[in-house]
Amino acid sequence: WPDVAREGQLEAWQDAAEHTDLKWERAFAKAERVRAGVRRLFADPDAPVALAGNTHELVLRFLSALPLGARPKLATADGEFHTLRRQLGRLAEEGIEVVRLPARPVETLAERLAAEASGASAVLVSAVLFEDSRIVPELPALAAACEDADVELLVDAYHALGCLPFTVAGLERAWIVGGGYKYLQLGEGNCFLRLPPQADERRPAITGWFAEFDELHAAHEPGATEYPRGSMRFAGSTYDPTSHYRAARVLDFFEEEGLTPERLRESYLQQTTLLADRFDELDLQDVTRDRGTPLSAFGGFIALESERAEELSRRLLDEGVVTDSRGRYLRLGPAPYHSDEQLESAVEQLGRVAS
């Protein structure tokens, strides 16, 4: 986290100590600052944005708003993060038809998903694959196919936001979910769902009482569940607002420093290129990378392929180099606060532990 995140943490504590239950007006202002930051990232200034502590909450609300009774089919890929992988797998056990296409070749993934859209309630796909950092191309074409088939499209942009420009151009009717734990440096508890225009036609079955926060004093008839329009339609319930205080400070910091998506993309490409060049110089036999695809087709990290990926990640940690592994992929994730010397040192350590 940037240093200003600590100021946000302390501000949240101070507001709670001074104002107790009256703190919520201030907390809601922080939440709105988070929404404004999300809109800025998407270049979508008027979009309603639902917030939650994690993407799973938001995906559940989205799924609960689909006509799964009439169209019990969902189409996705086998390269999705565990939030979707596990939840959709469990729904399949309950009788929902889950069509899970191979994520690779990624060049044809959008086209293949579009072919499965007919009869589905939704198509769910990532903008950047979490295992190997490949950017999924042709999402606007997939969005158009989903619209023609009257099917909802959910795009997981978690691994896109903060390391490359990602706007709603061509995805105006898509639901876009993401979070601030990775490249945005917002920390935990800052996830969001950008709602498309047709969201006001949906009634999520999983719904929190914050969705009627402005009407709490009205009479409520049993069985008559009303929904507001806009971002609160997919709201949850009472939450710890500290994460929003922190995120508001970090978003301000990013703007003050000119850390736009375009500037960050330039930085990440420079860093992943450096990592790739230094790795190639190692000439390892059982650790490889995709050299046939330009680095511009990847997101913010380098994925190295090895049967020893998990072992190498553990051994690197013993040497003070923090990486992670996903299956056979060892992921090296730089960040704006890393120097070239640190990245070069990390690759040198990889050469030592892999030999």
Side-chain angles (χ1 to χ4, degrees):
W1 302 347
D3 291 349
V4 295
R6 183 176 183 272
E7 298 172 8
Q9 298 275 112
L10 294 174
E11 184 184 4
W13 188 94
Q14 194 68 33
D15 278 357
E18 288 187 8
H19 305 288
T20 59
D21 272 359
L22 300 181
K23 74 184 180 205
W24 285 104
E25 181 178 354
R26 292 168 171 79
F28 290 160
K30 300 298 183 182
E32 187 53 38
R33 175 66 185 95
V34 176
R35 293 188 182 95
V38 173
R39 296 184 189 109
R40 183 170 179 266
L41 285 169
F42 290 142
D44 193 9
D46 299 318
V49 177
L51 302 176
N54 55 71
T55 58
H56 185 238
E57 293 180 46
L58 296 165
V59 169
L60 282 180
R61 292 175 213 163
F62 166 77
L63 291 171
S64 76
L66 298 175
L68 290 173
R71 289 188 286 176
K73 174 184 174 182
L74 299 168
T76 188
D78 66 3
E80 297 306 308
F81 187 68
H82 308 303
T83 296
L84 286 182
R85 176 195 58 78
R86 179 178 174 83
Q87 189 61 67
L88 297 187
R90 184 65 182 90
L91 289 176
E93 294 177 356
E94 295 298 315
I96 301 296
E97 179 187 2
V98 177
V99 178
R100 203 183 302 268
L101 301 181
R104 299 160 185 85
V106 72
E107 291 80 6
T108 64
L109 178 56
E111 179 182 2
R112 289 181 284 120
L113 284 171
E116 289 290 345
S118 178
S121 283
V123 173
L124 307 95
V125 66
S126 289
V128 176
L129 299 179
F130 85 100
E131 290 179 317
D132 65 358
S133 195
R134 277 300 305 271
I135 297 172
V136 178
E138 305 300 331
L139 288 182
L142 173 59
C146 287
E147 183 176 357
D148 290 343
D150 192 26
V151 172
E152 301 294 355
L153 172 63
L154 177 77
V155 177
D156 181 351
Y158 217 127
H159 271 281
L161 298 174
C163 67
L164 55 90
F166 184 87
T167 72
V168 298
L171 299 173
E172 289 82 1
R173 294 185 64 81
W175 308 68
I176 306 176
V177 68
Y181 184 71
K182 293 289 184 185
Y183 313 96
L184 296 175
Q185 297 177 234
L186 306 181
E188 302 89 342
N190 288 294
C191 291
F192 40 83
L193 178 64
R194 179 266 181 189
L195 304 177
Q198 72 273 21
D200 281 335
E201 303 167 11
R202 298 294 184 185
R203 303 177 75 247
I206 297 176
T207 181
W209 68 272
F210 268 38
E212 57 181 25
F213 196 88
D214 292 334
E215 292 82 31
L216 287 179
H217 299 294
H220 299 285
E221 295 294 331
T225 306
E226 302 295 334
Y227 292 82
R229 300 179 66 85
S231 61
M232 298 306 289
R233 192 175 187 88
F234 282 75
S237 299
T238 310
Y239 64 98
D240 179 357
T242 305
S243 57
H244 292 163
Y245 279 79
R246 182 176 66 239
R249 289 294 185 107
V250 175
L251 288 167
D252 288 344
F253 170 76
F254 267 49
E255 290 191 16
E256 291 163 5
E257 297 297 323
L259 297 178
T260 63
E262 292 76 16
R263 175 67 186 88
L264 290 167
R265 177 58 168 166
E266 179 184 340
S267 174
Y268 276 102
L269 271 177
Q270 184 271 328
Q271 292 180 318
T272 54
T273 298
L274 176 63
L275 287 170
D277 289 344
R278 296 296 179 269
F279 169 75
D280 290 347
E281 292 171 2
L282 296 178
D283 195 27
L284 299 176
Q285 299 305 305
D286 66 339
V287 187
T288 62
R289 72 176 184 87
D290 181 355
R291 295 183 176 88
T293 304
L295 289 171
S296 59
F298 293 88
F301 66 92
I302 288 284
L304 305 178
E305 193 168 355
S306 174
E307 295 300 323
R308 298 193 292 151
E310 184 179 358
E311 173 198 342
L312 292 174
S313 182
R314 291 199 308 268
R315 295 184 66 182
L316 282 168
L317 185 58
D318 290 340
E319 300 300 325
V321 179
V322 181
T323 64
D324 64 14
S325 63
R326 295 292 184 267
R328 66 182 186 276
Y329 292 107
L330 174 68
R331 305 193 307 176
L332 309 183
Y337 47 79
H338 285 135
S339 68
D340 288 355
E341 290 77 15
Q342 286 175 308
L343 301 182
E344 290 171 340
S345 175
V347 177
E348 289 175 7
Q349 292 287 358
L350 172 61
R352 293 190 187 99
V353 303
S355 60

